[in-house]
PDB file of all heavy atoms in Angstrom:
ATOM      1  N   GLY D   1      84.534 203.050 212.798  1.00 79.00           N
ATOM      2  CA  GLY D   1      83.328 202.673 213.523  1.00 79.00           C
ATOM      3  C   GLY D   1      83.451 202.859 215.030  1.00 79.00           C
ATOM      4  O   GLY D   1      82.859 202.118 215.799  1.00 79.00           O
ATOM      5  N   ILE D   2      84.231 203.848 215.443  1.00 79.00           N
ATOM      6  CA  ILE D   2      84.393 204.134 216.870  1.00 79.00           C
ATOM      7  C   ILE D   2      83.689 205.444 217.199  1.00 79.00           C
ATOM      8  O   ILE D   2      83.388 206.228 216.314  1.00 79.00           O
ATOM      9  CB  ILE D   2      85.893 204.223 217.272  1.00 79.00           C
ATOM     10  CG1 ILE D   2      86.606 205.305 216.452  1.00 79.00           C
ATOM     11  CG2 ILE D   2      86.565 202.876 217.109  1.00 79.00           C
ATOM     12  CD1 ILE D   2      88.035 205.567 216.856  1.00 79.00           C
ATOM     13  N   ASP D   3      83.413 205.665 218.468  1.00 71.00           N
ATOM     14  CA  ASP D   3      82.745 206.891 218.903  1.00 71.00           C
ATOM     15  C   ASP D   3      83.684 207.702 219.778  1.00 71.00           C
ATOM     16  O   ASP D   3      84.044 207.274 220.872  1.00 71.00           O
ATOM     17  CB  ASP D   3      81.475 206.565 219.703  1.00 71.00           C
ATOM     18  CG  ASP D   3      80.433 205.885 218.848  1.00 71.00           C
ATOM     19  OD1 ASP D   3      80.325 206.233 217.663  1.00 71.00           O
ATOM     20  OD2 ASP D   3      79.728 205.006 219.372  1.00 71.00           O
ATOM     21  N   ILE D   4      84.073 208.860 219.260  1.00 73.00           N
ATOM     22  CA  ILE D   4      84.908 209.776 220.029  1.00 73.00           C
ATOM     23  C   ILE D   4      84.051 210.949 220.498  1.00 73.00           C
ATOM     24  O   ILE D   4      84.099 211.340 221.650  1.00 73.00           O
ATOM     25  CB  ILE D   4      86.113 210.261 219.198  1.00 73.00           C
ATOM     26  CG1 ILE D   4      86.999 209.062 218.841  1.00 73.00           C
ATOM     27  CG2 ILE D   4      86.910 211.312 219.970  1.00 73.00           C
ATOM     28  CD1 ILE D   4      88.094 209.351 217.847  1.00 73.00           C
ATOM     29  N   PHE D   5      83.226 211.506 219.578  1.00 60.00           N
ATOM     30  CA  PHE D   5      82.315 212.581 219.947  1.00 60.00           C
ATOM     31  C   PHE D   5      81.076 211.959 220.563  1.00 60.00           C
ATOM     32  O   PHE D   5      80.391 211.168 219.939  1.00 60.00           O
ATOM     33  CB  PHE D   5      81.900 213.419 218.721  1.00 60.00           C
ATOM     34  CG  PHE D   5      82.939 214.402 218.306  1.00 60.00           C
ATOM     35  CD1 PHE D   5      83.662 214.219 217.148  1.00 60.00           C
ATOM     36  CD2 PHE D   5      83.207 215.514 219.079  1.00 60.00           C
ATOM     37  CE1 PHE D   5      84.622 215.122 216.757  1.00 60.00           C
ATOM     38  CE2 PHE D   5      84.166 216.424 218.702  1.00 60.00           C
ATOM     39  CZ  PHE D   5      84.878 216.226 217.531  1.00 60.00           C
ATOM     40  N   ARG D   6      80.818 212.303 221.791  1.00 55.00           N
ATOM     41  CA  ARG D   6      79.633 211.814 222.488  1.00 55.00           C
ATOM     42  C   ARG D   6      78.860 213.014 223.011  1.00 55.00           C
ATOM     43  O   ARG D   6      79.439 214.060 223.269  1.00 55.00           O
ATOM     44  CB  ARG D   6      80.035 210.916 223.658  1.00 55.00           C
ATOM     45  CG  ARG D   6      80.688 209.653 223.206  1.00 55.00           C
ATOM     46  CD  ARG D   6      80.993 208.744 224.396  1.00 55.00           C
ATOM     47  NE  ARG D   6      81.830 207.661 223.954  1.00 55.00           N
ATOM     48  CZ  ARG D   6      83.154 207.661 224.023  1.00 55.00           C
ATOM     49  NH1 ARG D   6      83.794 208.672 224.535  1.00 55.00           N
ATOM     50  NH2 ARG D   6      83.843 206.640 223.583  1.00 55.00           N
ATOM     51  N   ALA D   7      77.590 212.808 223.200  1.00 49.00           N
ATOM     52  CA  ALA D   7      76.783 213.890 223.755  1.00 49.00           C
ATOM     53  C   ALA D   7      77.227 214.160 225.185  1.00 49.00           C
ATOM     54  O   ALA D   7      77.390 213.249 225.974  1.00 49.00           O
ATOM     55  CB  ALA D   7      75.307 213.507 223.733  1.00 49.00           C
ATOM     56  N   ASP D   8      77.447 215.407 225.493  1.00 54.00           N
ATOM     57  CA  ASP D   8      77.778 215.800 226.857  1.00 54.00           C
ATOM     58  C   ASP D   8      76.487 215.781 227.654  1.00 54.00           C
ATOM     59  O   ASP D   8      75.498 216.407 227.277  1.00 54.00           O
ATOM     60  CB  ASP D   8      78.375 217.214 226.833  1.00 54.00           C
ATOM     61  CG  ASP D   8      78.924 217.644 228.172  1.00 54.00           C
ATOM     62  OD1 ASP D   8      78.437 217.150 229.209  1.00 54.00           O
ATOM     63  OD2 ASP D   8      79.833 218.488 228.184  1.00 54.00           O
ATOM     64  N   PRO D   9      76.452 215.049 228.769  1.00 53.00           N
ATOM     65  CA  PRO D   9      75.195 214.943 229.522  1.00 53.00           C
ATOM     66  C   PRO D   9      74.684 216.279 230.043  1.00 53.00           C
ATOM     67  O   PRO D   9      73.505 216.427 230.298  1.00 53.00           O
ATOM     68  CB  PRO D   9      75.543 214.005 230.681  1.00 53.00           C
ATOM     69  CG  PRO D   9      77.026 213.952 230.743  1.00 53.00           C
ATOM     70  CD  PRO D   9      77.550 214.319 229.398  1.00 53.00           C
ATOM     71  N   ASP D  10      75.560 217.274 230.160  1.00 54.00           N
ATOM     72  CA  ASP D  10      75.133 218.575 230.665  1.00 54.00           C
ATOM     73  C   ASP D  10      74.653 219.508 229.559  1.00 54.00           C
ATOM     74  O   ASP D  10      74.185 220.600 229.826  1.00 54.00           O
ATOM     75  CB  ASP D  10      76.284 219.248 231.417  1.00 54.00           C
ATOM     76  CG  ASP D  10      76.704 218.439 232.631  1.00 54.00           C
ATOM     77  OD1 ASP D  10      75.839 217.760 233.230  1.00 54.00           O
ATOM     78  OD2 ASP D  10      77.898 218.473 232.967  1.00 54.00           O
ATOM     79  N   VAL D  11      74.825 219.102 228.297  1.00 54.00           N
ATOM     80  CA  VAL D  11      74.434 219.932 227.165  1.00 54.00           C
ATOM     81  C   VAL D  11      73.292 219.235 226.440  1.00 54.00           C
ATOM     82  O   VAL D  11      73.433 218.105 225.999  1.00 54.00           O
ATOM     83  CB  VAL D  11      75.628 220.145 226.206  1.00 54.00           C
ATOM     84  CG1 VAL D  11      75.214 221.015 225.022  1.00 54.00           C
ATOM     85  CG2 VAL D  11      76.796 220.786 226.944  1.00 54.00           C
ATOM     86  N   PRO D  12      72.134 219.907 226.316  1.00 53.00           N
ATOM     87  CA  PRO D  12      70.962 219.253 225.753  1.00 53.00           C
ATOM     88  C   PRO D  12      71.018 219.009 224.248  1.00 53.00           C
ATOM     89  O   PRO D  12      70.216 218.286 223.721  1.00 53.00           O
ATOM     90  CB  PRO D  12      69.823 220.221 226.093  1.00 53.00           C
ATOM     91  CG  PRO D  12      70.475 221.537 226.243  1.00 53.00           C
ATOM     92  CD  PRO D  12      71.854 221.267 226.762  1.00 53.00           C
ATOM     93  N   SER D  13      71.934 219.604 223.510  1.00 58.00           N
ATOM     94  CA  SER D  13      71.929 219.443 222.064  1.00 58.00           C
ATOM     95  C   SER D  13      73.331 219.365 221.513  1.00 58.00           C
ATOM     96  O   SER D  13      74.246 220.017 222.005  1.00 58.00           O
ATOM     97  CB  SER D  13      71.193 220.626 221.425  1.00 58.00           C
ATOM     98  OG  SER D  13      71.301 220.562 220.028  1.00 58.00           O
ATOM     99  N   GLY D  14      73.497 218.571 220.457  1.00 68.00           N
ATOM    100  CA  GLY D  14      74.765 218.485 219.745  1.00 68.00           C
ATOM    101  C   GLY D  14      74.703 219.259 218.449  1.00 68.00           C
ATOM    102  O   GLY D  14      75.506 219.042 217.561  1.00 68.00           O
ATOM    103  N   SER D  15      73.720 220.135 218.318  1.00 77.00           N
ATOM    104  CA  SER D  15      73.552 220.873 217.078  1.00 77.00           C
ATOM    105  C   SER D  15      74.701 221.839 216.811  1.00 77.00           C
ATOM    106  O   SER D  15      75.063 222.069 215.666  1.00 77.00           O
ATOM    107  CB  SER D  15      72.235 221.651 217.095  1.00 77.00           C
ATOM    108  OG  SER D  15      71.146 220.759 217.198  1.00 77.00           O
ATOM    109  N   ILE D  16      75.267 222.407 217.871  1.00 87.00           N
ATOM    110  CA  ILE D  16      76.327 223.389 217.678  1.00 87.00           C
ATOM    111  C   ILE D  16      77.668 222.686 217.458  1.00 87.00           C
ATOM    112  O   ILE D  16      78.332 222.907 216.449  1.00 87.00           O
ATOM    113  CB  ILE D  16      76.412 224.364 218.882  1.00 87.00           C
ATOM    114  CG1 ILE D  16      75.028 224.953 219.211  1.00 87.00           C
ATOM    115  CG2 ILE D  16      77.441 225.446 218.623  1.00 87.00           C
ATOM    116  CD1 ILE D  16      74.357 225.726 218.132  1.00 87.00           C
ATOM    117  N   VAL D  17      78.077 221.878 218.408  1.00 82.00           N
ATOM    118  CA  VAL D  17      79.342 221.140 218.297  1.00 82.00           C
ATOM    119  C   VAL D  17      78.998 219.667 218.310  1.00 82.00           C
ATOM    120  O   VAL D  17      78.282 219.230 219.208  1.00 82.00           O
ATOM    121  CB  VAL D  17      80.278 221.476 219.489  1.00 82.00           C
ATOM    122  CG1 VAL D  17      81.542 220.644 219.429  1.00 82.00           C
ATOM    123  CG2 VAL D  17      80.611 222.964 219.521  1.00 82.00           C
ATOM    124  N   PRO D  18      79.419 218.881 217.374  1.00 83.00           N
ATOM    125  CA  PRO D  18      80.363 219.145 216.296  1.00 83.00           C
ATOM    126  C   PRO D  18      79.716 219.415 214.939  1.00 83.00           C
ATOM    127  O   PRO D  18      80.417 219.476 213.939  1.00 83.00           O
ATOM    128  CB  PRO D  18      81.153 217.839 216.231  1.00 83.00           C
ATOM    129  CG  PRO D  18      80.142 216.794 216.538  1.00 83.00           C
ATOM    130  CD  PRO D  18      79.212 217.434 217.550  1.00 83.00           C
ATOM    131  N   ILE D  19      78.378 219.593 214.873  1.00 89.00           N
ATOM    132  CA  ILE D  19      77.739 219.746 213.559  1.00 89.00           C
ATOM    133  C   ILE D  19      77.974 221.145 212.969  1.00 89.00           C
ATOM    134  O   ILE D  19      78.620 221.275 211.928  1.00 89.00           O
ATOM    135  CB  ILE D  19      76.216 219.454 213.623  1.00 89.00           C
ATOM    136  CG1 ILE D  19      75.936 218.085 214.254  1.00 89.00           C
ATOM    137  CG2 ILE D  19      75.606 219.552 212.235  1.00 89.00           C
ATOM    138  CD1 ILE D  19      76.342 216.905 213.451  1.00 89.00           C
ATOM    139  N   ALA D  20      77.439 222.200 213.620  1.00 91.00           N
ATOM    140  CA  ALA D  20      77.604 223.545 213.063  1.00 91.00           C
ATOM    141  C   ALA D  20      79.081 223.920 213.002  1.00 91.00           C
ATOM    142  O   ALA D  20      79.559 224.482 212.003  1.00 91.00           O
ATOM    143  CB  ALA D  20      76.831 224.561 213.886  1.00 91.00           C
ATOM    144  N   PHE D  21      79.799 223.616 214.068  1.00 89.00           N
ATOM    145  CA  PHE D  21      81.246 223.817 214.090  1.00 89.00           C
ATOM    146  C   PHE D  21      81.875 222.585 214.685  1.00 89.00           C
ATOM    147  O   PHE D  21      81.449 222.166 215.758  1.00 89.00           O
ATOM    148  CB  PHE D  21      81.621 225.051 214.935  1.00 89.00           C
ATOM    149  CG  PHE D  21      83.107 225.290 214.959  1.00 89.00           C
ATOM    150  CD1 PHE D  21      83.712 225.957 213.929  1.00 89.00           C
ATOM    151  CD2 PHE D  21      83.888 224.801 215.998  1.00 89.00           C
ATOM    152  CE1 PHE D  21      85.086 226.163 213.938  1.00 89.00           C
ATOM    153  CE2 PHE D  21      85.248 224.996 216.008  1.00 89.00           C
ATOM    154  CZ  PHE D  21      85.852 225.683 214.976  1.00 89.00           C
ATOM    155  N   PRO D  22      82.781 221.933 214.040  1.00 82.00           N
ATOM    156  CA  PRO D  22      83.557 222.336 212.876  1.00 82.00           C
ATOM    157  C   PRO D  22      83.102 221.709 211.562  1.00 82.00           C
ATOM    158  O   PRO D  22      83.698 221.983 210.527  1.00 82.00           O
ATOM    159  CB  PRO D  22      84.948 221.822 213.215  1.00 82.00           C
ATOM    160  CG  PRO D  22      84.699 220.542 213.916  1.00 82.00           C
ATOM    161  CD  PRO D  22      83.423 220.791 214.724  1.00 82.00           C
ATOM    162  N   LEU D  23      82.037 220.875 211.573  1.00 86.00           N
ATOM    163  CA  LEU D  23      81.688 220.157 210.357  1.00 86.00           C
ATOM    164  C   LEU D  23      81.233 221.091 209.240  1.00 86.00           C
ATOM    165  O   LEU D  23      81.726 221.008 208.118  1.00 86.00           O
ATOM    166  CB  LEU D  23      80.608 219.112 210.663  1.00 86.00           C
ATOM    167  CG  LEU D  23      80.324 218.113 209.550  1.00 86.00           C
ATOM    168  CD1 LEU D  23      81.567 217.298 209.224  1.00 86.00           C
ATOM    169  CD2 LEU D  23      79.187 217.197 209.951  1.00 86.00           C
ATOM    170  N   ILE D  24      80.286 221.981 209.521  1.00 92.00           N
ATOM    171  CA  ILE D  24      79.751 222.850 208.474  1.00 92.00           C
ATOM    172  C   ILE D  24      80.526 224.166 208.402  1.00 92.00           C
ATOM    173  O   ILE D  24      81.109 224.499 207.376  1.00 92.00           O
ATOM    174  CB  ILE D  24      78.245 223.103 208.706  1.00 92.00           C
ATOM    175  CG1 ILE D  24      77.481 221.777 208.581  1.00 92.00           C
ATOM    176  CG2 ILE D  24      77.717 224.140 207.721  1.00 92.00           C
ATOM    177  CD1 ILE D  24      76.043 221.842 209.028  1.00 92.00           C
ATOM    178  N   ALA D  25      80.505 224.918 209.476  1.00 93.00           N
ATOM    179  CA  ALA D  25      81.222 226.202 209.507  1.00 93.00           C
ATOM    180  C   ALA D  25      82.553 225.982 210.217  1.00 93.00           C
ATOM    181  O   ALA D  25      82.821 226.575 211.252  1.00 93.00           O
ATOM    182  CB  ALA D  25      80.385 227.268 210.196  1.00 93.00           C
ATOM    183  N   GLY D  26      83.352 225.115 209.657  1.00 86.00           N
ATOM    184  CA  GLY D  26      84.647 224.795 210.251  1.00 86.00           C
ATOM    185  C   GLY D  26      85.748 225.667 209.696  1.00 86.00           C
ATOM    186  O   GLY D  26      85.501 226.664 209.012  1.00 86.00           O
ATOM    187  N   SER D  27      86.954 225.253 209.962  1.00 80.00           N
ATOM    188  CA  SER D  27      88.102 226.068 209.561  1.00 80.00           C
ATOM    189  C   SER D  27      88.174 226.242 208.052  1.00 80.00           C
ATOM    190  O   SER D  27      88.537 227.316 207.571  1.00 80.00           O
ATOM    191  CB  SER D  27      89.402 225.452 210.090  1.00 80.00           C
ATOM    192  OG  SER D  27      89.613 224.177 209.517  1.00 80.00           O
ATOM    193  N   GLY D  28      87.797 225.215 207.293  1.00 79.00           N
ATOM    194  CA  GLY D  28      87.834 225.331 205.835  1.00 79.00           C
ATOM    195  C   GLY D  28      86.864 226.388 205.341  1.00 79.00           C
ATOM    196  O   GLY D  28      87.210 227.252 204.534  1.00 79.00           O
ATOM    197  N   THR D  29      85.635 226.342 205.853  1.00 89.00           N
ATOM    198  CA  THR D  29      84.609 227.314 205.454  1.00 89.00           C
ATOM    199  C   THR D  29      84.990 228.723 205.903  1.00 89.00           C
ATOM    200  O   THR D  29      84.929 229.671 205.120  1.00 89.00           O
ATOM    201  CB  THR D  29      83.244 226.929 206.064  1.00 89.00           C
ATOM    202  OG1 THR D  29      82.914 225.608 205.641  1.00 89.00           O
ATOM    203  CG2 THR D  29      82.158 227.894 205.650  1.00 89.00           C
ATOM    204  N   LEU D  30      85.392 228.852 207.155  1.00 90.00           N
ATOM    205  CA  LEU D  30      85.700 230.179 207.684  1.00 90.00           C
ATOM    206  C   LEU D  30      86.953 230.764 207.038  1.00 90.00           C
ATOM    207  O   LEU D  30      87.003 231.970 206.746  1.00 90.00           O
ATOM    208  CB  LEU D  30      85.824 230.116 209.209  1.00 90.00           C
ATOM    209  CG  LEU D  30      84.553 229.630 209.930  1.00 90.00           C
ATOM    210  CD1 LEU D  30      84.779 229.566 211.429  1.00 90.00           C
ATOM    211  CD2 LEU D  30      83.351 230.492 209.592  1.00 90.00           C
ATOM    212  N   THR D  31      87.949 229.940 206.771  1.00 83.00           N
ATOM    213  CA  THR D  31      89.153 230.420 206.087  1.00 83.00           C
ATOM    214  C   THR D  31      88.812 230.803 204.653  1.00 83.00           C
ATOM    215  O   THR D  31      89.331 231.792 204.133  1.00 83.00           O
ATOM    216  CB  THR D  31      90.255 229.341 206.121  1.00 83.00           C
ATOM    217  OG1 THR D  31      90.502 228.981 207.482  1.00 83.00           O
ATOM    218  CG2 THR D  31      91.535 229.835 205.495  1.00 83.00           C
ATOM    219  N   THR D  32      87.925 230.031 204.011  1.00 86.00           N
ATOM    220  CA  THR D  32      87.494 230.367 202.653  1.00 86.00           C
ATOM    221  C   THR D  32      86.789 231.715 202.638  1.00 86.00           C
ATOM    222  O   THR D  32      87.017 232.533 201.739  1.00 86.00           O
ATOM    223  CB  THR D  32      86.563 229.269 202.083  1.00 86.00           C
ATOM    224  OG1 THR D  32      87.288 228.035 202.058  1.00 86.00           O
ATOM    225  CG2 THR D  32      86.074 229.616 200.696  1.00 86.00           C
ATOM    226  N   ILE D  33      85.948 231.962 203.621  1.00 91.00           N
ATOM    227  CA  ILE D  33      85.251 233.248 203.704  1.00 91.00           C
ATOM    228  C   ILE D  33      86.264 234.388 203.828  1.00 91.00           C
ATOM    229  O   ILE D  33      86.145 235.412 203.151  1.00 91.00           O
ATOM    230  CB  ILE D  33      84.231 233.256 204.864  1.00 91.00           C
ATOM    231  CG1 ILE D  33      83.035 232.362 204.496  1.00 91.00           C
ATOM    232  CG2 ILE D  33      83.766 234.675 205.201  1.00 91.00           C
ATOM    233  CD1 ILE D  33      82.070 232.090 205.628  1.00 91.00           C
ATOM    234  N   LEU D  34      87.276 234.197 204.669  1.00 85.00           N
ATOM    235  CA  LEU D  34      88.316 235.229 204.794  1.00 85.00           C
ATOM    236  C   LEU D  34      89.062 235.415 203.477  1.00 85.00           C
ATOM    237  O   LEU D  34      89.379 236.543 203.091  1.00 85.00           O
ATOM    238  CB  LEU D  34      89.306 234.870 205.906  1.00 85.00           C
ATOM    239  CG  LEU D  34      88.791 234.944 207.338  1.00 85.00           C
ATOM    240  CD1 LEU D  34      89.883 234.548 208.327  1.00 85.00           C
ATOM    241  CD2 LEU D  34      88.272 236.340 207.664  1.00 85.00           C
ATOM    242  N   SER D  35      89.326 234.322 202.775  1.00 81.00           N
ATOM    243  CA  SER D  35      90.028 234.401 201.489  1.00 81.00           C
ATOM    244  C   SER D  35      89.169 235.095 200.437  1.00 81.00           C
ATOM    245  O   SER D  35      89.681 235.856 199.613  1.00 81.00           O
ATOM    246  CB  SER D  35      90.404 233.004 200.996  1.00 81.00           C
ATOM    247  OG  SER D  35      91.247 232.372 201.910  1.00 81.00           O
ATOM    248  N   LEU D  36      87.862 234.829 200.439  1.00 87.00           N
ATOM    249  CA  LEU D  36      86.966 235.465 199.477  1.00 87.00           C
ATOM    250  C   LEU D  36      86.912 236.980 199.660  1.00 87.00           C
ATOM    251  O   LEU D  36      86.675 237.717 198.700  1.00 87.00           O
ATOM    252  CB  LEU D  36      85.555 234.873 199.595  1.00 87.00           C
ATOM    253  CG  LEU D  36      85.379 233.442 199.080  1.00 87.00           C
ATOM    254  CD1 LEU D  36      84.010 232.893 199.476  1.00 87.00           C
ATOM    255  CD2 LEU D  36      85.566 233.373 197.573  1.00 87.00           C
ATOM    256  N   LYS D  37      87.158 237.442 200.889  1.00 85.00           N
ATOM    257  CA  LYS D  37      87.149 238.891 201.147  1.00 85.00           C
ATOM    258  C   LYS D  37      88.244 239.614 200.379  1.00 85.00           C
ATOM    259  O   LYS D  37      88.142 240.814 200.132  1.00 85.00           O
ATOM    260  CB  LYS D  37      87.307 239.167 202.647  1.00 85.00           C
ATOM    261  CG  LYS D  37      86.023 238.969 203.425  1.00 85.00           C
ATOM    262  CD  LYS D  37      86.188 239.299 204.878  1.00 85.00           C
ATOM    263  CE  LYS D  37      86.386 240.774 205.087  1.00 85.00           C
ATOM    264  NZ  LYS D  37      86.354 241.169 206.485  1.00 85.00           N
TER     265      LYS D  37
END
């Protein structure tokens, strides 16, 4: 119940970090894609 990831006041959106990367398209997903190749 602690907050480490906070919105950066200079960045208007948190959609890219940490949601798109690394939560969704993180190392597991990207490594899996490389493995599937």
Side-chain angles (χ1 to χ4, degrees):
I2 58 174
D3 295 324
I4 297 171
F5 281 109
R6 294 184 190 94
D8 188 333
D10 298 329
V11 180
S13 174
S15 298
I16 309 300
V17 176
I19 307 291
F21 181 83
L23 191 61
I24 296 170
S27 63
T29 303
L30 300 179
T31 304
T32 300
I33 288 170
L34 290 179
S35 300
L36 288 170
K37 281 182 69 171

